[in-house]
Amino acid sequence: MKNSKPKYKQIIEAAVEVIAENGYHSSQVSKIAKKAGVADGTIYLYFKNKEDILVSLFQDKMGQFIEKIEQETTSRQTAEEKLLTLIQTHFKQLAADHHLAIVTQLELRQSNKELRQKINGVLKRYLNVIDSIIEEGMEEGLFRSGLDLRLVRQMIFGTLDETVTNWVMKDQRYNIEDQAEEVHSLIVHGLTHNR
Amino acid sequence: MKNSKPKYKQIIEAAVEVIAENGYHSSQVSKIAKKAGVADGTIYLYFKNKEDILVSLFQDKMGQFIEKIEQETTSRQTAEEKLLTLIQTHFKQLAADHHLAIVTQLELRQSNKELRQKINGVLKRYLNVIDSIIEEGMEEGLFRSGLDLRLVRQMIFGTLDETVTNWVMKDQRYNIEDQAEEVHSLIVHGLTHNR
Amino acid sequence: MKNSKPKYKQIIEAAVEVIAENGYHSSQVSKIAKKAGVADGTIYLYFKNKEDILVSLFQDKMGQFIEKIEQETTSRQTAEEKLLTLIQTHFKQLAADHHLAIVTQLELRQSNKELRQKINGVLKRYLNVIDSIIEEGMEEGLFRSGLDLRLVRQMIFGTLDETVTNWVMKDQRYNIEDQAEEVHSLIVHGLTHNR
Amino acid sequence: MKNSKPKYKQIIEAAVEVIAENGYHSSQVSKIAKKAGVADGTIYLYFKNKEDILVSLFQDKMGQFIEKIEQETTSRQTAEEKLLTLIQTHFKQLAADHHLAIVTQLELRQSNKELRQKINGVLKRYLNVIDSIIEEGMEEGLFRSGLDLRLVRQMIFGTLDETVTNWVMKDQRYNIEDQAEEVHSLIVHGLTHNR
DNA sequence: CATGAATGAGGGTTCATTCAT
DNA sequence: AATGAATGAACCCTCATTCAT
C-alpha cells in the first residue's frame, strides 16, 4: 500500500546508485528503471526527460544537504564558528553517503553546459549561506572589512570542492572529516603566521 | 605561405575553436576536420582517435601554460611574490585565449573518467610548481611551517579554478586579471586582519 | 492478420532475400530492416549483432534442412537407398528455395573465419547423418568395410556441395533434382563398371 | 641490380604471405606494400587495383600448379594412373606450400562473387585436365561410358577440394599426401566392393 | 497509472586509391 | 619509376523517448 507509492523517490534513489556504480555515461534510463523496479515508460510519468531526473536528483539531495548546513550553522555564535561548522557538515554529509559523493563530485560534472547551469541554480542557496557568514564576519569585525564577497565565496567553495573531489578520486581512502579544522584554519588565516 | 602550419597544429587549433563554439558533445571529428581544412581521414594520420585529439590538445596547451608559469615564477625572489606571479600568469594566459578558457574550464570537464585521468596527469606538473612555492615559503619562514602540503595545494588550485570557471561562466564579462592581487591576499592572509 | 508473423522470423526471411539479391557485402543492416518492415533498432531486440542474424539464419534454415533429410532417410531400408534419398532431398530442398541456395552456396562463404566456424558447427549434424549411413552400409556389407569415414564423408559432402554450387553459379538454369540418381551412382559405384 | 627488378613477383609473394598470416579481411594494400618493401602507390604501377593483385596471385600460382599437374599426368599410361597422379600432385603441391594452401582454400573464398568468377576462369584449365582424363578413361573402356562429364568433374574436384579444405582447417596436422590412394580408390570404385 | 516493444537519428573510424613531387 | 601524404565514402549500433494496450 505504501511501498508502491513514492515512485518518484524510488527512481531518484535508483539513479544515484546506478550512476555511482556505472558512471554517468553508462547510466541508461532503462538501467535506472530496472534498479527502481519500474518499467522504462514509468520514468516518464514522473520526470520530463532524462535530464530532469538528474536535476531533480540534485535538487532533492542538495536541498537536504544545504538544509542541514543551514541548521547546523545558525546555532553557532561567531562567523568563524559558523564557517567551521559549515565545513565540518559539508564533509560529514558527503562522507556519510559515498554514492552521493561520487555522483556530485565526479559523475554529474560530465553533464552538458545546460544541465550544469541548472545545477548551479541549486547551488545558489548554498552560496548564499556562505555569503551570510562572510558578511556576518565582516560586521563582527572578525574578518577584514572590504572583502570581495564573490572572491571569498569562490575561495571557500573552490577549496571545499577541490578538497572533496580529491578525496573522492583517491577512493575516499582517508577520513576527510579530520581535515575540516585545518581547511578552516587555512581559509581564515591563510598561509602566513597567525600573528 | 598561408597554410604552412603543420597539420598537427592546425588540427589542434581547429579542435579548440570547434569545442569552444559548439560544446564538447557537439564537436564531431568531421566538424574539426572541416574547420582545420583537412579531410576526416587526415585526422587519423596525426591522432590515434578522437580522445587523442583532446588529450594532445590539453597537453600541448597546458604544456605551454605551465611552462610560462614556471618561467615567470622562477625569476621572483620570495615565495609570496612567486605565488602572486603564478596567479597573475594563470589569469593572464586564460584571459588572452578566450576559446582555450572555455575549453579547459567547461567543455573538457564533460569528458569521461578515463580522459579526465589523463588530463590530471598533465596537471601534475602544475601542482608541482605550487608545491615548490609552498615549500619554499615554509623554508623562508614566510609561511607557517607544518602546513599540510596537499591541503594547501588544493586550496590554491581550487580557488583559482573556481575563480576562473565563474568568470568563464559569466561570459568573461569582467577583467579577471584585476583580481589576482586580491585572490593572492586571500590565500596568503586568509579572511582575518593581516597582523 | 497480415503481419502476424513474429518479428524474428520476419527478419530472417528478409535477410535471406536481401543477401540473395544484393550479395553479402552489400547487405547492410538497414537494408534488411527495411525489407523486414521494421526499424533498424528493432533488429537488435532480436539479434545480438549483424553476425548473429547470419548465424541464426543459417541455424534456422539448416536446422529445417537437416531435419527433413533425417526424416526422409530414416524411412528407407538400406544404406544405398538412404544415400539416394539424402541426395534427392538435399537437391530438392535447395531447388525449392532459390534465395536460400544462393545464400548458402555463395554469399555466406564470404563471411570471416569466425562466422564460418559457427556455420561449420551447424553442419556437423548433417555430417553425422552422412556418417551414420556410411557406417550402416558397411555393417550391412553393402559398402566395403574399412572405409575411412572421414574421407568418404568428405567425398560425399564435397561432391554434393560442388554440384549444387555449380548449379547456382549457372543461375540454376537446369533441373538439379534430375541429377540425383547419377550423382548417387557415381558415389556408390565410382567411375568404373558396376561389375 | 636484379633485386629491385621483379617488383611484380615481389608483390605477389608478399600478398600470399600477408593473406596467409593475417586473413583476407586484414590484408590491407598498405600491409602488402610494406611486406613487399615498396610504397603503397607502387602497387598501382603493377596492378590495376587490389582485386587485380588477388586475381594475378591466383593466376600465377595456379598456373604453376596446373602446369605441374599437366606435366606429371601426361607421362602416365592409363587414365586411372593419370587420375592417381593428379590427386597426388594436387595434394603434394599444397602440402609443400602451407601459405598458398591457406590462401586458396580459406582466404580467397571470402572474396566477392565477381572475384570468384575470375578465379573460376583460372580453374577452367584445371577442370579441362580432369575432363581429358575422364574422356580418356571412357575411351580406354576403363571407365563406364556414358558418364556425365560435368558431374564426374564436379565429383572429383569437389572431393579433392573438400578434402584439402578440411586438412587446412585442421591446421594441416596430418599428412594429406598419404590419403591420395584412398581418395583415388573412392573415386574410381565408389563405396561398394571392387568386384 | 503502468507497461515495454518499437522507433530512428547520429558519429567515429578504416582503407583503397590518387597525385604532386 | 617511385613515393606516401591526403582523401572521403560508407556503416553498425545505442538508447532516449513514445504510445498502444
Side-chain angles (χ1 to χ4, degrees), chain D residues 118-130:
Chain D
K118 289 188 185 168
I119 284 179
N120 282 335
V122 179
L123 278 181
K124 192 148 248 167
R125 194 171 147 205
Y126 183 34
L127 301 180
N128 286 338
V129 175
I130 295 180

Side-chain angles (χ1 to χ4, degrees), chain B residues 64-66 68-69 88-97:
Chain B
Q64 295 173 39
F65 184 93
I66 296 168
K68 179 81 174 167
I69 287 180
Q88 286 172 328
T89 315
H90 187 136
F91 287 176
K92 192 201 275 188
Q93 289 191 87
L94 289 176
D97 191 342

Side-chain angles (χ1 to χ4, degrees), chain D residues 41-60:
Chain D
T42 305
I43 298 269
Y44 292 87
L45 298 175
Y46 296 89
F47 300 91
K48 210 164 80 258
N49 50 35
K50 187 182 181 181
E51 184 181 296
D52 190 31
I53 308 177
L54 304 176
V55 173
S56 302
L57 177 166
F58 198 78
Q59 285 176 331
D60 193 270

Side-chain angles (χ1 to χ4, degrees), chain A residues 24 107-113 115-116 119, chain B residues 25 110:
Chain A
Y24 182 80
E107 302 301 341
L108 242 42
R109 317 259 160 144
Q110 297 176 51
S111 55
N112 58 42
K113 223 188 298 183
L115 173 52
R116 287 218 308 289
I119 284 179
Chain B
H25 284 114
Q110 299 175 49

